[in-house]
Amino acid sequence: MLGSSRIVRENQRVTGNKTPRQPKDRVEISFQQAIGLIIPYIKSRIMEQIRSVWLILLYLILFQTLVLQIPIVDGAIIAFGMTMVIIGLAFFMEGLLLGLMPLGELIGLKLPQKAGLAVILIFSLLLGFGVTLAEPAIGALKILGGTVKAWDAPLLFTLLNTYPDYLVWAVGAGVGLAVVSGMLRFLYNWSLKPFLYVLVPILTAISIWAAFDPNLLYLTGLAWDCGAVTTGPVTVPLVLALGIGITRVVGRGESGASGFGVVTLASLFPILAVLLLGVSFSGTVPQPMPGPEFMSPAQRVTALGLFGGREDDLLRYAFAQGGGDEVRAYFGEDANRRAFVADMARDGSARTRLFGDDEPRFMRWVAVHGSDAEKMTLFGSIKSAREYTLRPPPPPRTSIASLFLRNFQTAAQAIIPLTLFMLFVFFVVLRERLPHTDEIIFGIVIALLGMGFFNIGMETGLSKLGDQVGGKVPSSFTALPLEEQRATINGFSPDIVGSAVDAEKGGVARFFFHRHDRVVDPIPYDDKNYDEMTGTYTYVPQVGPLFGGIWGVLVALLFAFVMGYGATLAEPALNALGIKVEELTVGTFKKTFLMQAVAVGVGVGIAFGVAKIIWDIPLVWLLAPPYAILLVVTYLSSEEYVNIAWDSAGVTTGPVTVPLVLAMGLGIGTRIGVVEGFGILAMASVYPILSVLLTGLYAAYMRKRSGAGQEEESLPVGDDGEAAA
Amino acid sequence: MKRIPCARITCEVYQEISRTVLSALGSIGIRRPYIQSGRSIMLGERRGGLFSSGTTLLEDPIDIYSFTVPAERELAVMHRLIQAAMLDQEGRGSIYSEQAERISRDDECPGDEPPHIAAEPPHYPMIQHLVGISCIVQRGQSDIIVRSSLEMGICVPSVTFGIGAGLRDKLGLIRITIPAEKEVVNLVTTQHDAQGVLARLIEAGKFDQPGRGFIFTYPIARGLLNTRLYVGRHLSAASLGQIVAALDELKGTTAWRRKFTGTSDHARSKKREYMRGLVDLTLLCQEGRAFELSKVAMGAGASGATLSRLRRPVPDDTPPGKVVSPAREKLTMILPAALADPVAAALFGAGICDEGTAGEIFLRPCPEAHTYTGKK
């Protein structure tokens, strides 16, 4: 057909064009060519992250400016922070995919082939324990716990503040055991379902039982949130990759999409561990009691138990967290207190030594609650005491250097020890060689950089904005003072106060006009805010309720839903899970599909969590029913879907969602005055499982209808062939 | 080195049927087929949407089994599988066989033992003289090819994942800026349609432009293909697929299905220069070895390779406690025929027969191939 010369020419083209005749190990490319490669690469990675975070960013900004109509404070810093979030996420994701995950997968591949069962299990235990210590996720819970008053929830206070190490160890042990049982599952090809059938009812039963003990009741929220929080952005991808590697080697060659499920166990075991820790501690702490009773000398021994026996700590806590009654109760007799304040006034260095960072709080307590004599001794005059209360608290100082240092330290702490451990196992225990060493090292380095940038961005950008918006959300259904817009009007005289007919409440409302920025505003007048001595009127603007009745609450719930939805789409660990799922199912289970399903679930869960806080519903009543439904749906679903769905639950509550959710939870919680805002994260974990499983069942139903690979039973055992013969 | 002719059978089935195929294979002594996960795509009817009408792509997971048998057992094995998995019904899967050659050096790597199945008379009407078309494109770029092949009514395409190796690996760290992830679209069409289909696909996938991928054909001896290309409302007593199957059986040939008549096709498509006289050299080996071996092959003159993951069931009689990994890798290289022996020799020289590699090399002809080959 074709001349032989043609064939030769084509052959040369194939060989000659792509590779040089003398194959070299390395092809040099020019600087321009390199730039031509690098720019689209960076652009695509950055665009990917912009696509994943734009929704939550834009949403927060628009909600605050358009719905709540409150201007954004520190806009420039927030814009900087958001840029850092995007760059950080792009770096971190690329680092995960190039470095951390391939390393995890390699270890997973080699471990069963080269090491015995004992080594695998010890490795798993250490890994699980280590990742918990490394990832500072528990810090987020401590922030939540910071608002818990010692007398309201003594057990919670003890675990979070007095013995936080025990809490971390319990969670670490839980995660360690989870990784061990996860590996055993892979090695012996066990289903995930029995684990769920046993663990979930046990956890629910303990939680219901705990609901009848006031101390343990508060603990359940912490325990369930621990489960959600522990599986962070480094742990999840690493454990996933490890599982995927192991299942590729130890299976008998079944379907390719296995290797999931460890994250689920790593969410459930810590809950159990924390609940058990709480139960074992519950005998040693007092029951919740009113603050003054707790601080009274009669309860001193019990109270000191919560502070490790250190009297100074208790004293400091009384001034920092207590109101007037708590501190008065602490000193028993007023004379004692007077003497103490006098001591403190005389010796400034002792005061600093005793109170440390809490010194302004001590001063403030005296200025607000102290007797006139105490104010005189500490401030010199009643007037300066009064001025002290009017002075806005100094803004926390953060230099750029310390911001970078602190955040990169956290990132290094989360990544470096873990990577060193993995590399040690790989080189020393398994005695293997790394393929693509440069790629893996580069990946680890940019994962580290990315996490640092991301943390900085979260702190200066997203968290800050989340705090502003989240804190303001209650204004949709309740009146909310805007503390940061507090203004002091000097030279005020009550003479200008006028009165108006109050059509809503009846009677007379008092107000005055205030002119600033060429605008004259009517401002409601309240005697309490006028200080005759200084001639100042302190004014805190109020917003809300923006929507009347149930509508306001619905707006808050809707906000919670969209925030959960948007934040989830930006979660790096979920992205990593989605990429792995898509790869292992050869594109039949799309990453975007998984993420949408999970995001809707998280949104619903967070809305429920907010409802829990607003109406103060015990967590158990919101957790037990969905988990009961889940067990049924789990039973109906295929093993593959069960693994992926339950894992996505553990993955969702990551570094983007948690701060935003906490900010909102705290904002609403403090407005409404509930003891603790725990539980929202736990709610955000349960509903994604449901949404993923349900979409899975729907997809299975659709497939059955479309007839792709019909069920075996539905077809007669075909003998057509025989008949034809 | 010698070349042993054999029949290479490929069976693509939906995952729900996979277990049936595996046990059917086990029952005739083929205990360790290679299995690759893939997806199969059908056109689905889209209804109800406000802006959406027409068709959507329905993707389902499939398992692709491949194994070799001595040529004289080929038909018997195929008929057994068709019977067991009911592949003669639409919407179950496809099966086809190729004449391939196994390259072996002094029988160092023992092949699979022949299946214990007697030669049976053929039961099922199979289509003879098919052509396989394989397209290697960037990950995420396969939809256009899949859609046009479905809309042309060629076959139910299957897609697998692969990783490209070649020039990229010689660039140093900057290689990470070039995505290595590939998708491989596999199509099977009849010989009389092959030229037309190839031309259309090159147009659809823009394979004549740089960076779009590689397309090549390979002969398939016979097969029985899944005819369910479209899922939607059935308004008639029999689906189109069933009617097609019935006509095939009546006529004993598929020539009546010819879509691309020579003249109109000739007028439509530009005159294309195909690369000819190539071979497809496939190396199957233990997981973890393929990347290194791809470098060996490239050292011997191969221009690039596609690496994909497979698995191979572990025999039940494995002693307990011993971990036998089912993970395998496949390295596919398209080479000028003259390079097949040097590359194979280089691979043997790199020790593909040792226990840790357990490699096997197969060769099949590759009559036409096309990719961007620089400005003309």
Side-chain angles (χ1 to χ4, degrees), chain A residues 57-80:
Chain A
L57 295 188
L58 196 70
Y59 177 68
L60 287 177
I61 294 172
L62 291 185
F63 194 84
Q64 170 143 0
T65 50
L66 295 185
V67 179
L68 302 179
Q69 304 200 344
I70 302 167
I72 288 168
V73 185
D74 293 341
I77 298 178
I78 290 177
F80 163 78

Tab-separated table of all heavy atoms in Angstrom, chain A residues 57-80:
chain	number	residue	atom	x	y	z
A	57	LEU	N	-16.532	33.898	50.592
A	57	LEU	CA	-16.036	35.266	50.785
A	57	LEU	C	-17.095	36.286	50.402
A	57	LEU	O	-17.462	37.169	51.182
A	57	LEU	CB	-14.773	35.500	49.938
A	57	LEU	CG	-13.555	34.680	50.288
A	57	LEU	CD1	-12.348	35.172	49.501
A	57	LEU	CD2	-13.265	34.764	51.772
A	58	LEU	N	-17.575	36.151	49.182
A	58	LEU	CA	-18.554	37.104	48.677
A	58	LEU	C	-19.803	37.102	49.553
A	58	LEU	O	-20.371	38.143	49.882
A	58	LEU	CB	-18.915	36.726	47.241
A	58	LEU	CG	-19.609	37.800	46.450
A	58	LEU	CD1	-18.616	38.900	46.153
A	58	LEU	CD2	-20.172	37.241	45.155
A	59	TYR	N	-20.169	35.905	49.962
A	59	TYR	CA	-21.386	35.773	50.754
A	59	TYR	C	-21.269	36.517	52.080
A	59	TYR	O	-22.159	37.256	52.479
A	59	TYR	CB	-21.661	34.295	50.989
A	59	TYR	CG	-22.847	34.044	51.851
A	59	TYR	CD1	-24.121	34.352	51.389
A	59	TYR	CD2	-22.702	33.533	53.133
A	59	TYR	CE1	-25.219	34.140	52.188
A	59	TYR	CE2	-23.788	33.329	53.936
A	59	TYR	CZ	-25.054	33.630	53.465
A	59	TYR	OH	-26.136	33.440	54.252
A	60	LEU	N	-20.136	36.308	52.759
A	60	LEU	CA	-19.954	36.972	54.054
A	60	LEU	C	-19.973	38.486	53.883
A	60	LEU	O	-20.618	39.205	54.649
A	60	LEU	CB	-18.634	36.530	54.690
A	60	LEU	CG	-18.607	35.109	55.238
A	60	LEU	CD1	-17.232	34.771	55.773
A	60	LEU	CD2	-19.653	34.926	56.322
A	61	ILE	N	-19.268	38.953	52.843
A	61	ILE	CA	-19.208	40.399	52.631
A	61	ILE	C	-20.600	40.960	52.324
A	61	ILE	O	-21.048	41.932	52.924
A	61	ILE	CB	-18.232	40.728	51.482
A	61	ILE	CG1	-16.813	40.360	51.910
A	61	ILE	CG2	-18.312	42.191	51.103
A	61	ILE	CD1	-15.798	40.450	50.801
A	62	LEU	N	-21.300	40.289	51.405
A	62	LEU	CA	-22.611	40.800	51.014
A	62	LEU	C	-23.601	40.708	52.158
A	62	LEU	O	-24.432	41.595	52.346
A	62	LEU	CB	-23.134	40.034	49.791
A	62	LEU	CG	-22.376	40.312	48.505
A	62	LEU	CD1	-23.042	39.598	47.343
A	62	LEU	CD2	-22.302	41.798	48.233
A	63	PHE	N	-23.519	39.642	52.930
A	63	PHE	CA	-24.481	39.494	54.026
A	63	PHE	C	-24.315	40.626	55.025
A	63	PHE	O	-25.279	41.223	55.477
A	63	PHE	CB	-24.279	38.142	54.722
A	63	PHE	CG	-25.425	37.775	55.621
A	63	PHE	CD1	-26.552	37.171	55.107
A	63	PHE	CD2	-25.367	38.036	56.981
A	63	PHE	CE1	-27.610	36.835	55.929
A	63	PHE	CE2	-26.423	37.712	57.808
A	63	PHE	CZ	-27.547	37.103	57.286
A	64	GLN	N	-23.046	40.919	55.335
A	64	GLN	CA	-22.820	41.986	56.310
A	64	GLN	C	-23.225	43.348	55.754
A	64	GLN	O	-23.862	44.132	56.448
A	64	GLN	CB	-21.347	41.999	56.732
A	64	GLN	CG	-21.000	43.226	57.554
A	64	GLN	CD	-20.021	42.943	58.655
A	64	GLN	OE1	-19.581	41.827	58.829
A	64	GLN	NE2	-19.687	43.945	59.429
A	65	THR	N	-22.842	43.619	54.495
A	65	THR	CA	-23.087	44.969	53.993
A	65	THR	C	-24.522	45.161	53.510
A	65	THR	O	-25.093	46.227	53.706
A	65	THR	CB	-22.130	45.317	52.847
A	65	THR	OG1	-22.167	44.245	51.913
A	65	THR	CG2	-20.728	45.495	53.343
A	66	LEU	N	-25.098	44.129	52.906
A	66	LEU	CA	-26.432	44.324	52.321
A	66	LEU	C	-27.555	43.918	53.268
A	66	LEU	O	-28.532	44.648	53.425
A	66	LEU	CB	-26.559	43.559	51.010
A	66	LEU	CG	-25.650	44.049	49.892
A	66	LEU	CD1	-25.938	43.300	48.611
A	66	LEU	CD2	-25.816	45.541	49.680
A	67	VAL	N	-27.436	42.754	53.903
A	67	VAL	CA	-28.547	42.294	54.745
A	67	VAL	C	-28.486	42.961	56.109
A	67	VAL	O	-29.434	43.575	56.569
A	67	VAL	CB	-28.532	40.757	54.884
A	67	VAL	CG1	-29.677	40.299	55.767
A	67	VAL	CG2	-28.635	40.107	53.518
A	68	LEU	N	-27.323	42.850	56.767
A	68	LEU	CA	-27.215	43.438	58.101
A	68	LEU	C	-26.926	44.939	58.030
A	68	LEU	O	-27.141	45.648	58.989
A	68	LEU	CB	-26.117	42.738	58.893
A	68	LEU	CG	-26.298	41.228	59.071
A	68	LEU	CD1	-25.133	40.659	59.862
A	68	LEU	CD2	-27.604	40.916	59.774
A	69	GLN	N	-26.432	45.407	56.892
A	69	GLN	CA	-26.133	46.820	56.664
A	69	GLN	C	-25.193	47.389	57.708
A	69	GLN	O	-25.439	48.435	58.293
A	69	GLN	CB	-27.428	47.620	56.602
A	69	GLN	CG	-28.344	47.052	55.536
A	69	GLN	CD	-29.395	48.021	55.087
A	69	GLN	OE1	-29.636	49.004	55.753
A	69	GLN	NE2	-30.000	47.742	53.963
A	70	ILE	N	-24.137	46.624	57.982
A	70	ILE	CA	-23.117	47.106	58.907
A	70	ILE	C	-21.819	47.173	58.099
A	70	ILE	O	-21.483	46.223	57.407
A	70	ILE	CB	-22.940	46.107	60.071
A	70	ILE	CG1	-24.273	45.929	60.792
A	70	ILE	CG2	-21.858	46.574	61.029
A	70	ILE	CD1	-24.298	44.768	61.724
A	71	PRO	N	-21.113	48.318	58.158
A	71	PRO	CA	-19.881	48.384	57.373
A	71	PRO	C	-18.839	47.410	57.898
A	71	PRO	O	-18.837	47.037	59.075
A	71	PRO	CB	-19.429	49.835	57.559
A	71	PRO	CG	-20.124	50.301	58.777
A	71	PRO	CD	-21.403	49.552	58.882
A	72	ILE	N	-17.936	46.988	57.005
A	72	ILE	CA	-16.896	46.045	57.380
A	72	ILE	C	-15.719	46.795	57.997
A	72	ILE	O	-15.239	47.774	57.433
A	72	ILE	CB	-16.451	45.240	56.151
A	72	ILE	CG1	-17.562	44.268	55.776
A	72	ILE	CG2	-15.163	44.482	56.425
A	72	ILE	CD1	-17.402	43.630	54.453
A	73	VAL	N	-15.306	46.345	59.168
A	73	VAL	CA	-14.179	46.974	59.844
A	73	VAL	C	-12.885	46.350	59.324
A	73	VAL	O	-12.845	45.147	59.033
A	73	VAL	CB	-14.307	46.747	61.369
A	73	VAL	CG1	-13.213	47.485	62.108
A	73	VAL	CG2	-15.673	47.183	61.856
A	74	ASP	N	-11.836	47.133	59.211
A	74	ASP	CA	-10.521	46.629	58.790
A	74	ASP	C	-10.554	45.978	57.415
A	74	ASP	O	-10.012	44.893	57.214
A	74	ASP	CB	-9.974	45.583	59.786
A	74	ASP	CG	-9.660	46.206	61.126
A	74	ASP	OD1	-9.518	47.448	61.158
A	74	ASP	OD2	-9.571	45.485	62.114
A	75	GLY	N	-11.209	46.606	56.465
A	75	GLY	CA	-11.363	46.008	55.139
A	75	GLY	C	-10.047	45.645	54.478
A	75	GLY	O	-9.918	44.581	53.875
A	76	ALA	N	-9.039	46.527	54.625
A	76	ALA	CA	-7.771	46.267	53.936
A	76	ALA	C	-7.095	45.020	54.485
A	76	ALA	O	-6.601	44.175	53.742
A	76	ALA	CB	-6.852	47.478	54.087
A	77	ILE	N	-7.109	44.893	55.815
A	77	ILE	CA	-6.466	43.719	56.423
A	77	ILE	C	-7.191	42.448	55.990
A	77	ILE	O	-6.576	41.431	55.672
A	77	ILE	CB	-6.473	43.849	57.960
A	77	ILE	CG1	-5.677	45.081	58.365
A	77	ILE	CG2	-5.925	42.596	58.608
A	77	ILE	CD1	-5.657	45.335	59.839
A	78	ILE	N	-8.516	42.543	55.958
A	78	ILE	CA	-9.289	41.361	55.572
A	78	ILE	C	-8.989	40.985	54.126
A	78	ILE	O	-8.833	39.802	53.796
A	78	ILE	CB	-10.790	41.623	55.801
A	78	ILE	CG1	-11.061	41.673	57.307
A	78	ILE	CG2	-11.631	40.549	55.143
A	78	ILE	CD1	-12.471	42.001	57.679
A	79	ALA	N	-8.871	41.987	53.270
A	79	ALA	CA	-8.558	41.685	51.865
A	79	ALA	C	-7.196	40.999	51.766
A	79	ALA	O	-7.032	40.016	51.034
A	79	ALA	CB	-8.554	42.969	51.040
A	80	PHE	N	-6.230	41.490	52.538
A	80	PHE	CA	-4.919	40.844	52.572
A	80	PHE	C	-5.066	39.391	53.040
A	80	PHE	O	-4.520	38.463	52.438
A	80	PHE	CB	-3.989	41.619	53.520
A	80	PHE	CG	-2.774	40.856	53.949
A	80	PHE	CD1	-1.681	40.728	53.101
A	80	PHE	CD2	-2.718	40.257	55.208
A	80	PHE	CE1	-0.560	40.019	53.501
A	80	PHE	CE2	-1.605	39.547	55.612
A	80	PHE	CZ	-0.524	39.433	54.753
